[in-house]
Structure formats: structure tokens, C-alpha cells
Amino acid sequence: GWKDAINTTIINFNNEKMQITWAARELFPSENVSFSYTFDEGKHKVWKPCPTYLLDQDYNSGCLFKTEGPTLAISIRSSNGSEELFSKRLKSDFYIKPNRPENVTFFWKEDTVTVSCNKPERAVKCLRLELQYKSKFDKDWQSRTSKCCSVGEQGFDPRKCYSFRVRLKRLVPYCNVVNYSSDWEAETFWMNGTLLDSCDDDIKSQSNTVIFLSCFLAVLLMILILLILLCKWQRLQKSVMPAIPDPKYVFADLFNDHNGNFQEWIDETAHTMVQTKPEYEEPECIIEVESQQEDEKNSDKQSSQEKIFNFSRAAENNDPKAAQIACLMPTSNTIASFAGFQILMNNDMYVML
């Protein structure tokens, strides 16, 4: 009875290949067993040796061969084939593991997502399409199962990034005695109907946006500070180092009319000044001081009065020579007024006011 208790794992890969495995080191520690199989029924069975062994530390631990029918018989024998250690008959269709779903498509409409795939060629009624999804805020996968080969779910937030994966499952116990499912299709990442490389891209894009805005504001702030410093520097420069006027603008005629020829410009300027020199010049006021002896004061008094009289008359006639004063006055302080002019006489000096 111990032969029937041997634990074996039987997998029929999409009804194409069979894989039978056993615990070689535990069940048969002392020898390397052999494996044979047949899909024939009745008395005329043709046993075939295992074409491909699976090894566990150089011990035969399984066999991989092609699926050739719905009924399978297997036999495990000793290394020389003389003794049968284990045998079993089974329905290979009850151990089918489906392949991954093919051509998976996602259809988004508002908050609803519909996932579909191609229908397998056989046993579609035994298959179910399972959809799992989670956002970056979820710890566990959310699952949804429907008939092959379309499944839909509602309530997706367009602001969140979601991870999706799908697989096909065999119905138990109506189609399989073992709950086999296909491997998961490659995981995809979606946000509001847009396919992404990963949900990390969403986080990176947000962080990149924050970094860009921060850098932009920092640059604007630096430019503002530089403008303020530049204005203050210009004011300081003007106060400390006044600007030197450009002779090009002060002497415009030198550079515009004479192309910087200084000699030509100075000659023309001198000629112009000569032509525009006024004919009338302000006469100089000549003040003559002459010391006199006390004994000559009286004799000179009459002469001084005559000169003053002549000056007054000349001033009334607008004679330019009236501005010349050449006379002697007494030593006493006296103020005389002639023709609108005031003359201060002090210590033998005439001063016209």
C-alpha cells in the first residue's frame, strides 16, 4: 500500500506537455529510479521511457514528456527496471495548467476599466480571467474574476497610478482536480488611461515638477537680488566716483564738424570770438593816491574841485572817460555825489560807489 501513498506532482501544460515530479531523495534515497509512461489503453500498452529527466543532486526527480491523449499511465521502477516502485493511472485533462493570456488590452472609460484577451483554442468554458490591481497607496492586491475572456471593474481614481496583472484560471472541481492557474501576464502601470513604465514615474514626475518650480523661483529671486544690488552699486559708484563727462558731447562741434581736429577747431573758434568781440569795453577805474604836504592842501583844493566838476559833466554826457578818477582830495572823510554816482573821499583816496 505504500506505493499508492507516494506523493507526485502532475502538471499538464496547456494540454501540450506533461511534467511528473517526485521527492527522489526522500522516497528513494538509495537508488536512482527510472520512469516510463503510456497513453494507450487496453491490453496492448506500449510503455515509453522518459525522454527528459529532471534532476535533484544528480538523482532523477521528475520527467517531462509530450501530452498525447486524455488517459495517462505512469510507472516508477528501480534503476535496472526489474521492480516497480510506483504506478498510477489518471486523466491528463484534469491537471491542465493554462498558458498566460495573450494580447491583453485595457479599455478606459471614465472610472471603469475593461480588460480582455484572446480566447484559447480549447476548453474556454473551463477558464476564468482574473484581474488584480492596486494603487501606490494600497498594500494588497484587489482581485476581480470573470468569464473568459473579459473582465471589468469600476471606481478607479484618475489621479492615481495603478498596477495591473491578469491570468487565466481553471475551474475546480468541474474541469480540474488541482487548482491550477496560468502565470501572471507582465505587470503594467496605468494612470487615467495612460500607460506608464512604472508608478515610480508618477512620483518622479511630481517630484521633478516640484524641483523645477523650486529652481525657477530660486532663479527669479536671485535675479531680483542682483538687480537690487546693481542699482545700489550704481548709486554708490556715482557718489564715490562721479562720471567723467565725455568731451564728445561737451565739444560736439569739435567732433562733428572738424572730426576731432583740435587746431582747426581752435582757429575757427578764435576767429569767431574776434568777430563777436564787443566794440565797447568797460573802462577801468583808475584811482590815484598822492600824498600831499599839509601846506599844499589849500593850493590843490581848487584844482580838485575843477576835476570833480569836469567828471560830473562828463558823466552826465555818458562819456566813458568819466569812469577815470585822477584827483587829489583833502584828508578829511567826505562823500560827494555827482550825476548819480557817490564818491567816498577818505585819506587822500577817491572811491566811486
Side-chain angles (χ1 to χ4, degrees):
W2 66 272
K3 293 181 180 181
D4 295 333
I6 292 177
N7 187 20
T8 57
T9 301
I10 304 170
I11 303 176
N12 183 359
F13 291 103
N14 199 41
N15 210 24
E16 297 173 356
K17 288 185 178 182
M18 297 291 301
Q19 176 179 291
I20 312 294
T21 58
W22 56 87
R25 299 299 301 274
E26 297 176 5
L27 297 175
F28 315 107
S30 57
E31 61 179 324
N32 201 2
V33 299
S34 61
F35 179 87
S36 59
Y37 68 96
T38 182
F39 285 96
D40 297 330
E41 298 182 7
K43 296 180 180 180
H44 303 283
K45 295 180 181 180
V46 179
W47 291 91
K48 299 179 180 180
C50 178
T52 305
Y53 279 103
L54 304 178
L55 302 178
D56 179 13
Q57 297 182 3
D58 296 332
Y59 281 86
N60 296 334
S61 61
C63 182
L64 186 64
F65 53 95
K66 183 178 179 180
T67 303
E68 298 176 2
T71 303
L72 173 64
I74 60 175
S75 176
I76 298 177
R77 294 177 174 273
S78 58
S79 57
N80 55 13
S82 60
E83 182 182 1
E84 186 178 71
L85 304 177
F86 174 76
S87 64
K88 187 176 182 178
R89 292 187 61 192
L90 54 96
K91 292 289 185 179
S92 61
D93 292 344
F94 288 168
Y95 296 88
I96 293 178
K97 179 179 180 179
N99 289 338
R100 293 177 179 179
E102 297 179 354
N103 194 21
V104 179
T105 58
F106 290 80
F107 177 74
W108 289 75
K109 186 177 180 180
E110 297 179 353
D111 66 337
T112 303
V113 178
T114 303
V115 183
S116 59
C117 67
N118 291 344
K119 290 184 179 181
E121 296 179 358
R122 62 180 75 177
V124 177
K125 294 182 179 180
C126 291
L127 296 175
R128 293 293 181 267
L129 182 62
E130 182 181 9
L131 169 67
Q132 287 191 349
Y133 60 90
K134 68 176 180 178
S135 70
K136 57 185 178 182
F137 303 102
D138 300 327
K139 294 183 179 179
D140 300 325
W141 290 93
Q142 308 295 321
S143 184
R144 174 78 172 175
T145 304
S146 181
K147 292 182 179 181
C148 187
C149 292
S150 179
V151 58
E153 184 63 19
Q154 297 178 342
F156 290 96
D157 189 345
R159 297 169 297 180
K160 295 181 180 179
C161 179
Y162 291 90
S163 303
F164 291 92
R165 62 182 185 181
V166 292
R167 67 179 179 180
L168 291 173
K169 298 178 64 175
R170 289 275 293 186
L171 288 178
V172 177
Y174 304 103
C175 298
N176 263 33
V177 295
V178 182
N179 189 11
Y180 282 150
S181 300
S182 70
D183 295 333
W184 290 105
E185 180 62 17
E187 188 175 346
T188 57
F189 307 92
W190 295 80
M191 181 177 179
N192 195 21
T194 303
L195 180 64
L196 304 176
D197 293 334
S198 68
C199 283
D200 294 336
D201 295 343
D202 178 36
I203 300 175
K204 290 180 180 179
S205 62
Q206 294 180 358
S207 62
N208 291 337
T209 302
V210 173
I211 293 173
F212 175 76
L213 291 177
S214 301
C215 294
F216 182 72
L217 293 177
V219 170
L220 288 180
L221 182 59
M222 290 179 63
I223 293 175
L224 180 61
I225 294 174
L226 289 176
L227 289 176
I228 294 174
L229 293 177
L230 181 61
C231 293
K232 291 187 175 181
W233 168 251
Q234 289 179 349
R235 292 181 181 178
L236 179 62
Q237 189 177 19
K238 288 181 180 180
S239 61
V240 176
M241 296 179 293
I244 300 174
D246 191 349
K248 182 177 180 181
Y249 302 100
V250 178
F251 304 99
D253 53 348
L254 171 62
F255 294 94
N256 295 334
D257 300 337
H258 302 282
N259 295 325
N261 191 331
F262 181 78
Q263 186 62 43
E264 181 181 341
W265 173 76
I266 198 64
D267 292 342
E268 181 177 346
T269 304
H271 179 68
T272 304
M273 292 179 64
V274 169
Q275 292 181 351
T276 58
K277 183 176 181 181
E279 297 180 357
Y280 172 77
E281 295 182 357
E282 184 71 20
E284 297 181 356
C285 180
I286 302 175
I287 301 175
E288 295 183 0
V289 179
E290 187 174 322
S291 300
Q292 299 294 337
Q293 298 294 330
E294 292 181 358
D295 54 354
E296 295 178 357
K297 289 182 181 179
N298 294 329
S299 62
D300 294 339
K301 181 176 181 182
Q302 183 178 357
S303 176
S304 298
Q305 289 177 353
E306 291 178 358
K307 291 182 179 181
I308 293 171
F309 175 76
N310 293 332
F311 168 77
S312 175
R313 187 171 55 185
E316 290 178 356
N317 296 329
N318 295 325
D319 190 350
K321 295 183 178 181
Q324 297 179 356
I325 302 174
C327 57
L328 298 175
M329 297 295 293
T331 57
S332 59
N333 295 334
T334 308
I335 297 178
S337 177
F338 297 96
F341 294 90
Q342 291 182 348
I343 300 176
L344 173 63
M345 296 168 286
N346 184 15
N347 295 332
D348 298 333
M349 294 180 63
Y350 282 0
V351 178
M352 184 179 66
L353 304 178

